[in-house]
């Protein structure tokens, strides 16, 4: 939606700066955790690699062997740093700009930023609460909270895990699949059908239940084209999901 070259240059500069700051900070904060188990140079490499992968919601397993971050299940610092990198990368570049400009004045945010931040908060807290109730009962309370939070943050295209996913309950695995399908925000490093699409569909469902003609978000009426686009995206992703599960080719 940037309409001028000057605005585009400013946006790209801001994206590069924020990306660099977040990835450097993530690497520095991750280093103590990796340094406990690896030689210094290897720990530096793992910290940089992990920070970049987490911020970009890429989910590459830096340790190899399919263990992801299971060896660091009870590492508070690495868990929280990874969560933060995934969230910041997944809310989108324009949302950063809104947060920087308006700070804590949420009412001044663009509608898209309000939807993204609200939906992201709900998609973290609700699954985390569910995971805590249904899984990880063998862990101490602190580690159980940490694992529940981590598994609610990372499925939306980041793909890390600190627990054995095959040991989770069927309900939790189903929720994880839905989180993977949803993804992050538009204009972010995350994939998926986007949290804004889910929010539009939810608003449309609420309007139907209340017998309202037009769905609304934050007291703003949604255009019919937005609802149609959201429904089309959902059908597309469901089609690709079922085709992939059936072993059918999904790309040329």
């Amino acid at each position: 939606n940037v309409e001028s070259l000057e605005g585009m240059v400013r946006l790209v500069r801001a994206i590069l700066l924020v990306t660099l700051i977040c990835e450097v900070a993530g690497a520095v904060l991750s280093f103590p955790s990796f340094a406990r188990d690896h030689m210094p140079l290897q720990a530096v490499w793992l910290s940089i690699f992990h920070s970049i992968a987490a911020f970009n919601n890429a989910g590459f397993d830096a340790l190899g062997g399919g263990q992801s971050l299971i060896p660091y299940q009870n590492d508070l610092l690495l868990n929280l740093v990874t969560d933060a990198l995934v969230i910041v990368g997944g809310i989108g570049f324009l949302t950063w700009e809104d947060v920087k400009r308006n700070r804590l004045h949420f009412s001044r945010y663009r509608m898209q930023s309000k939807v993204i931040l609200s939906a992201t908060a709900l998609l973290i807290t609700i699954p985390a609460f569910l995971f805590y109730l249904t899984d990880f009962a063998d862990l101490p309370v602190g580690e159980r909270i940490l694992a529940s939070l981590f598994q609610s943050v990372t499925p939306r295209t980041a793909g890390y895990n600190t627990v054995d996913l095959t040991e989770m309950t069927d309900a939790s695995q189903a929720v994880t699949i839905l989180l993977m399908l949803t993804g992050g925000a538009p204009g972010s490093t995350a994939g998926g059908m986007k949290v804004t699409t889910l929010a539009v569909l939810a608003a449309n469902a609420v309007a139907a239940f209340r017998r309202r003609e037009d769905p609304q978000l934050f007291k703003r009426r949604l255009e019919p084209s937005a609802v149609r686009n959201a429904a089309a995206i959902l059908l597309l992703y469901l089609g690709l999901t079922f085709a992939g599960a059936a072993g059918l080719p999904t790309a040329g």
Side-chain angles (χ1 to χ4, degrees):
N1 294 328
V2 179
E3 299 178 351
S4 67
L5 180 61
E6 180 184 359
M8 179 62 71
V9 171
R10 186 169 57 251
L11 176 61
V12 172
R13 185 186 298 120
I15 290 172
L16 292 175
L17 180 61
V18 173
T19 300
L20 181 62
I21 291 173
C22 290
E23 291 179 352
V24 169
V28 171
L29 292 173
S30 300
F31 177 76
S33 299
F34 290 119
R36 286 197 298 269
D37 302 318
H38 300 87
M39 297 296 289
L41 288 179
Q42 186 180 12
V44 170
W45 161 248
L46 288 173
S47 301
I48 295 173
F49 184 93
H50 176 72
S51 179
I52 294 173
F55 179 81
N56 286 283
N57 280 241
F60 289 117
D61 182 3
L63 301 178
Q67 57 186 328
S68 190
L69 295 176
I70 292 178
Y72 298 93
Q73 181 184 92
N74 60 352
D75 190 313
L76 177 64
L77 178 61
L78 186 61
N79 275 252
L80 294 182
V81 168
T82 304
D83 287 342
L85 288 169
V86 171
I87 292 171
V88 173
I91 63 174
F93 304 115
L94 294 178
T95 308
W96 300 347
E97 183 185 20
D98 234 352
V99 173
K100 178 184 177 182
R101 184 174 63 249
N102 296 307
R103 306 292 180 178
L104 298 178
H105 301 286
F106 189 74
S107 60
R108 300 178 185 175
Y109 286 18
R110 288 186 290 257
M111 180 180 175
Q112 176 171 297
S113 298
K114 292 179 180 179
V115 172
I116 289 171
L117 293 173
S118 301
T120 298
L122 291 174
L123 289 173
I124 292 174
T125 54
I126 295 176
F129 184 68
L130 172 66
F131 294 156
Y132 182 84
L133 293 178
T134 60
D135 294 276
F136 320 133
D138 56 330
L139 297 176
V141 174
E143 292 183 23
R144 189 176 181 181
I145 294 174
L146 200 61
S148 300
L149 177 63
F150 193 87
Q151 291 311 131
S152 70
V153 170
T154 59
R156 291 187 296 116
T157 78
Y160 295 109
N161 59 286
T162 56
V163 296
D164 186 352
L165 299 181
T166 62
E167 297 296 326
M168 296 179 71
T169 62
D170 291 342
S172 294
Q173 291 183 9
V175 170
T176 299
I177 292 172
L178 293 175
L179 291 173
M180 293 166 62
L181 178 67
T182 302
S188 72
T189 62
M193 70 177 190
K194 308 305 181 188
V195 295
T196 47
T197 300
L198 180 63
V200 169
L201 294 171
N204 190 48
V206 170
F209 289 140
R210 294 184 175 181
R211 297 187 178 182
R212 290 179 177 173
E213 184 175 349
D214 299 313
Q216 296 182 0
L217 284 171
F218 294 98
K219 299 181 180 180
R220 295 280 298 276
R221 184 177 65 86
L222 298 177
E223 294 292 335
S225 59
V227 179
R228 289 196 300 269
N229 290 340
I233 292 172
L234 174 62
L235 288 176
L236 173 63
Y237 269 86
L238 289 176
L240 291 174
T241 300
F242 288 124
L248 301 176
T250 56

